[in-house]
Amino acid sequence: MTELMPAAPDHSMLGLFMQADIVVKAVMLLLLLASIACWAIVVDKIFVLRRLKREATAVEAATARPGLPSEAGLLPLGSHMVQRGLAAWRDSDQEESRKDRRERIERAMRAGVGAYLRKVEPGLPFLATLGSAAPFIGLFGTVWGIMNSFTAIAQSNDTSLAVVAPGIAEALLATALGLVAAIPAVIAYNKFATDLGRIGQRFNACIGILGERLTASDTSGVARSHAAE
C-alpha cells in the first residue's frame, strides 16, 4: 500500500497567516484594519481638499475684482467668509480706530475660515498615529513570532533551516504589514497637512486684501447698500 506523502506547507501570504500564532494573527488583523481605515481617510481627504482648493481659487478671483466683496460666484466657505466680513464691517463703532476696525473685520473672517478648516482635520491625527505606531506594532508581532519559533526549535531539537524558516517568515509578515500600513499614512499625513496649510495661507491673503478694502471704503449708506446686494 502506497504511503501518503505529507502535504507541503503553504508558504503563500494567506498560508503564512493561517499558520501564525494567535497573537501574531491578531497583530496582522489589526494592521490590516488600520490600513483599510487609512485608505478610506486618504480617499475622503483627496476629494475634500480638491473642493477647498476650488473654494480658494474662487475667493482669489473675487478678491481680484475691484470694489467691495460680493458673494456672487463663491462656494460655501468663501461665501461664509465674506458674510462674516461684511457683518463685522457694518457693525461699526465711531470711536473705533481704522486699525482696530480692520483687525476686527479680519478676525471675524479668519474665525469663520478657521472653524471650517478644523472640520477637515478629523482623520489626520489617526494618520499621524498610524504612521508612527504601525511599524512598532508589526515589530511586536515579529518578536512574538520569532520567540515562539525558537521555543519550538528548542523543543524539537532540530535547528535545520527548513524548520526555522517558516516560523520566521510568519513573524516577518507582521513587520511587512506594519510598514504597508505606516508608509501610506505618513506620506498622506504630510501631504494633507501641507495642502491645508497652503489653503489657509491663500484664504489669509485674501482676508488681508478684503479687510483693507472694507476699512478704506466709504461708510455711507450708498456703500452699505452696495455691499448688502
Side-chain angles (χ1 to χ4, degrees):
M1 188 172 180
T2 307
E3 230 178 86
L4 292 175
M5 296 293 293
D10 185 1
H11 297 313
S12 66
M13 300 285 283
L14 181 59
L16 291 175
F17 171 78
M18 297 304 296
Q19 298 163 26
D21 178 81
I22 184 65
V23 175
V24 181
K25 281 182 180 178
V27 169
M28 292 180 182
L29 287 174
L30 177 63
L31 291 171
L32 181 60
L33 292 174
S35 182
I36 293 172
C38 168
W39 283 107
I41 293 172
V42 167
V43 172
D44 175 67
K45 297 305 178 191
I46 287 174
F47 286 104
V48 170
L49 288 172
R50 281 181 181 175
R51 187 182 73 247
L52 287 176
K53 289 176 182 178
R54 288 197 300 270
E55 297 227 16
T57 300
V59 170
E60 288 171 342
T63 304
R65 293 193 293 267
L68 295 177
S70 170
E71 299 173 38
L74 295 180
L75 296 169
L77 175 55
S79 177
H80 179 65
M81 184 192 81
V82 170
Q83 285 176 3
R84 290 182 67 99
L86 291 174
W89 174 67
R90 295 189 191 101
D91 186 20
S92 61
D93 185 351
Q94 298 299 328
E95 299 181 358
E96 189 177 35
S97 67
R98 176 175 174 175
K99 178 182 177 181
D100 291 341
R101 187 181 186 193
R102 176 178 176 178
E103 289 178 353
R104 179 171 56 81
I105 293 171
E106 292 182 3
R107 189 164 55 246
M109 288 190 284
R110 286 196 185 95
V113 172
Y116 192 95
L117 293 181
R118 280 192 295 272
K119 295 178 182 178
V120 182
E121 292 179 357
L124 295 185
F126 175 81
L127 295 180
T129 302
L130 181 61
S132 60
F136 296 102
I137 296 173
L139 183 60
F140 167 74
T142 297
V143 171
W144 185 275
I146 291 177
M147 181 181 67
N148 287 339
S149 295
F150 279 111
T151 302
I153 292 168
Q155 291 173 351
S156 65
N157 293 320
D158 188 351
T159 58
S160 66
L161 187 60
V163 174
V164 177
I168 294 179
E170 296 163 11
L172 291 175
L173 181 58
T175 296
L177 289 176
L179 294 175
V180 167
I183 293 173
V186 171
I187 295 174
Y189 174 79
N190 291 334
K191 169 66 175 171
F192 295 152
T194 301
D195 285 350
L196 270 178
R198 289 175 178 171
I199 290 169
Q201 291 173 359
R202 293 173 67 182
F203 275 102
N204 283 334
C206 294
I207 287 172
I209 296 172
L210 294 178
E212 172 64 24
R213 192 174 296 170
L214 285 170
T215 307
S217 66
D218 182 12
T219 57
S220 66
V222 175
R224 291 179 185 274
S225 63
H226 175 69
E229 291 177 357

